[in-house]
Amino acid sequence: MNRKRVPAPALAVAGQSPLTALSGVGPAVALKLAERGLATLQDLWLHLPRSYEDRTHITPLAQLRSGMAAQVEGQVVAVERGFRGRPVLKVAIEDDTGGPLVLRFFHFRAAQVAQFAHGVRVRAFGTARPGPTGLEIVHPSYRVLTVGEDPALGQTLDPVYPLVEGVGPATIRKLVGQALDRLPPEEQLDLVPPQWLAQLGLPSLRQALLTVHRPHAAADLAALAAGRHPAIARLAIEELLAHHLSLRRQRIALQRQQAPALAGQGDGVARLLAQLPFVLTAAQQRVFAQIRADLAKPQPMLRLVQGDVGSGKTVVAALAAMLAVEAGYQVALAAPTELLAEQHLANLRGWLEPLGITVCWLAGKVTGKARAASLAAIADGSAQVVVGTHALMQDAVVFHDLALAIVDEQHRFGVHQRLALRDKGARPGSVPHQLVMTATPIPRTLAMSEYADLDVSAIDELPPGRTPVQTVVLSNERRQELIERIRSACAQGRQAYWVCTLIEENDELEASAAESIHSALAASLPELRVALVHGRMKAADKQAAMAAFKAGQTQLLVATTVIEVGVDVPNASLMVIENAERLGLAQLHQLRGRVGRGSTASSCVLLYQGPLSMMAKERLATMRQTNDGFVIAEKDLELRGPGELLGTRQTGVAMFRIADLARDAHLLPAVHALAERLLAEHPALADRVISRWIGSAVRYAAA
Ligand code: ADP
Ligand code: MG
């Protein structure tokens, strides 16, 4: 299976020549361009303008309005050179329709001043702004015309490119122009058969690039600016296609690997189910059946289980673990925070130890003898299930025979970490099965593109008897009312969380804010037992505080966002989130998921400190309007963009040059159809599409 695909030279992807092939690019400029990721002709083709300047006509001065970017032409009627704090040159021009328009310069040379003699004609371009005596253009680009000179107007709009540090805008414009002049003819440039794209109403690649860089005056600039023009869609669709194809290739590579088939012969699953205090929901049963079928195969599973907060993912993970243990292998379960990992440990011990399964613990805080003992048990296989944090991924951790790696809240880990864990189970020719779980639903659009390589299961049903959380948005000025509300809720036997947030990711500051809020609330609510948890507390103290709250011994728990994931106290039915305006949607949704876990109607109060930004307003309104994690995730994608959502800076995923998943989601069905067709009819072209857009860039996401 070692067949290398080396394209014949004639089939090489166009546009790979280095920029030093262009005139005006020496080593120094090439270096500056390379720093911006511009190394080849193709990189310049894909360096899209951020806006355009219209020099295809001359705007009569009478029609010039403030804010307009326009080309004008007129005769100099006054020149004033002055000094008001700094040198200033004002040149007033008029045309047949009106004026004067002032061209104002702050940096100028004597020679420039001399050019502007009375009566000479000037053609200038810039944005008009109101000045003290009428409209002005500050530092226009301009040209003084000789008598009778009438330079031709542009045929197409002039592109304005994003700045490249150390290379002037005029140079960039020239270089892109040269690169475009070297665009090969359509039939050499198009990899995807042009008629397939024509069926979608999209132009050839050459046409698309020329339209984007040199649009005609009549082009729909608004559509270009918004990325909704067919020319941009043509570029985006090929880029999305390349990513999709690359994920599929990697998927196929993964499927060629072996994994231990975990076809549980025993009755472990039945025994585990029998001792649960509840019955699985239909969604849990369905997802577990999918996992079970995957694990029974001798190929590695790579499955993402999405389930909203509280949907009951942990028990599904425990059932999967049971299958691996019964088959004689080890299981690792990693969670991103210690608090969450501890909770998993408690759950798994509660469920599995009565069945005679050893569950072992490993976190950063496990040190000394305890750590040595854990490591030894993991290495000799006596630890059948190992629960922990990032500590599980360290080099010192060696498994005897790991067959299933489970990662909870996988978006909180880097892909490297997931792979580090996976590699702990690698034997020659064999890798462990992987189950990744997330309560931050990946929007459908993302799931379709970034996760083309994973199988996705959704636990799309909450256990019965839960009532939806009522969400209220309240200004900080009404804090006192809120305190009364907590008083009365607790008087009725309910429990409440008060979550303190800080904008800085600073444990210490956050802890001290939580401490002062804790004392203030304890003073206002003397009849209540008010507890505190934050990330700076000793693990034992934290655990004790959580246990006391879970047991109902304390009624109000003041906490930092450490409680965001995993905390499960069904009797807590009121949550206050302080400074909610500072948090992102995903985090708010996670936090809110801590309430609404019992049968009492729950509420969540989002306390904010005004004034609110537009984004903050939208986020809070979204939270008030819906409890649906999928809707929230889609909104989050819209407000923040996919990179941040997936935490992908470290993974290299979603690094599109042109495509924008939020904007281009509607293209994905066409992308998938093109992928099928290309793989079926021209598989060699598929490789070239991948190499055009992704090149040799290492991608970890699908591995
Ligand atoms: P999440 O999907 O957010 O990780 P958990 O696995 O923590 O959810 O489950 C949330 C709570 O629901 C836990 O207390 C768990 O024991 C309980 N639970 C899970 N499945 C069911 C079910 N089918 N019926 C009732 N309660 C359930
Ligand atoms: Mg969970």
Side-chain angles (χ1 to χ4, degrees), residues 278-281 284 307-315 351 463-464 466 568 597:
F278 49 75
V279 178
L280 293 190
T281 61
Q284 285 170 317
D308 214 342
V309 278
S311 62
K313 294 181 290 295
T314 319
V315 71
W351 290 329
R466 308 247 169 108
D568 185 28
R597 300 190 148 229

Side-chain angles (χ1 to χ4, degrees), residues 310 313-314 340 344 408-409 437 439 565-566 594 597:
K313 294 181 290 295
T314 319
L340 179 54
H344 284 329
D408 194 15
E409 302 298 338
M437 308 196 288
V565 281
R594 304 303 110 213
R597 300 190 148 229

Side-chain angles (χ1 to χ4, degrees), residues 598-612:
S599 47
T600 2
S602 294
S603 41
C604 176
V605 180
L606 303 177
L607 205 54
Y608 70 87
Q609 182 68 55
L612 290 177

Side-chain angles (χ1 to χ4, degrees), residues 269 273 276 278-293 305 311-313 315-316 319 457-461 464:
V269 166
L273 288 174
L276 289 176
F278 49 75
V279 178
L280 293 190
T281 61
Q284 285 170 317
Q285 289 178 30
R286 171 169 41 78
V287 170
F288 177 55
Q290 289 164 344
I291 293 171
R292 190 174 202 164
V305 172
S311 62
K313 294 181 290 295
V315 71
V316 172
L319 287 161
S457 298
I459 306 186
D460 48 9
E461 177 186 4

